[in-house]
Amino acid sequence: MSVPAPFEVVPVDGGFSWRLIGSCGRALVYPQETYPSDFAAADAAKVARADLHARALLIDGGAHL
């Protein structure tokens, strides 16, 4: 089973956002949404990460499980 992609929550003007971090250590996804708390941003990152994982399974056919 693969390890889910890590993310970081970052402060932005008036709230928080998140970035998906690739295995290379670089940010791969920079969402435009701003959230009122770091917990809300983390929850949004978890949802997006799960969605990206589900899409990858459709493309890869679950070969990496």
Side-chain angles (χ1 to χ4, degrees):
M1 186 166 143
S2 64
V3 176
F7 63 90
E8 66 180 352
V9 173
V10 294
V12 295
D13 293 334
F16 296 88
S17 190
W18 59 270
R19 296 177 185 154
L20 188 68
I21 308 298
S23 61
C24 61
R26 292 185 174 195
L28 302 175
V29 177
Y30 296 91
Q32 299 295 316
E33 295 86 358
T34 301
Y35 301 91
S37 71
D38 55 345
F39 291 108
D43 288 343
K46 290 174 187 176
V47 169
R49 181 175 65 181
D51 182 57
L52 288 171
H53 180 71
R55 290 172 192 250
L57 286 177
L58 290 173
I59 294 168
D60 295 342
H64 300 291
L65 294 178

